[in-house]
Amino acid sequence: VGSYKIEGKVTPPDVKPANWLTVTTVTLDGGKRRAFLKEDNSFVFQGVTSGTFLVEVENPDYMYEQVNRRIWCKTGGKLTN
């Protein structure tokens, strides 16, 4: 069981459509996990294990760059990158 989390915030378009929160999702590793945006456009994946993950924002009308995140454990503590 993982004890890390990946969290972030998605920047919406200047004029945010009314359905923005319902049609925008964030996926981890090609859809193995999916998160919906909160009211403040943030998301969180809990219980993530050490490793490298591809984070993607999906919206039918807008395109976002993919982001890679690496999570690893170091003796005596944890580091996230």
Side-chain angles (χ1 to χ4, degrees):
V1 177
S3 60
Y4 304 101
K5 65 181 175 180
I6 296 176
E7 57 188 339
K9 200 168 204 177
V10 178
T11 303
D14 291 336
V15 179
K16 187 164 71 171
N19 66 347
W20 173 256
L21 291 175
T22 59
V23 300
T24 305
T25 59
V26 182
T27 61
L28 199 60
D29 285 346
K32 290 180 183 174
R33 292 181 62 183
R34 183 174 307 275
F36 291 93
L37 297 181
K38 299 176 186 175
E39 288 291 326
D40 65 352
N41 300 309
S42 67
F43 65 91
V44 63
F45 290 101
Q46 300 277 1
V48 179
T49 59
S50 295
T52 301
F53 302 91
L54 179 65
V55 180
E56 297 176 275
V57 176
E58 295 182 353
N59 181 290
D61 299 315
Y62 299 94
M63 293 182 66
Y64 288 86
E65 289 185 40
Q66 299 174 338
V67 177
N68 278 302
R69 281 289 152 240
R70 179 179 293 151
I71 299 174
W72 68 95
C73 184
K74 181 179 178 182
T75 304
K78 65 181 179 182
L79 298 172
T80 58
N81 180 11

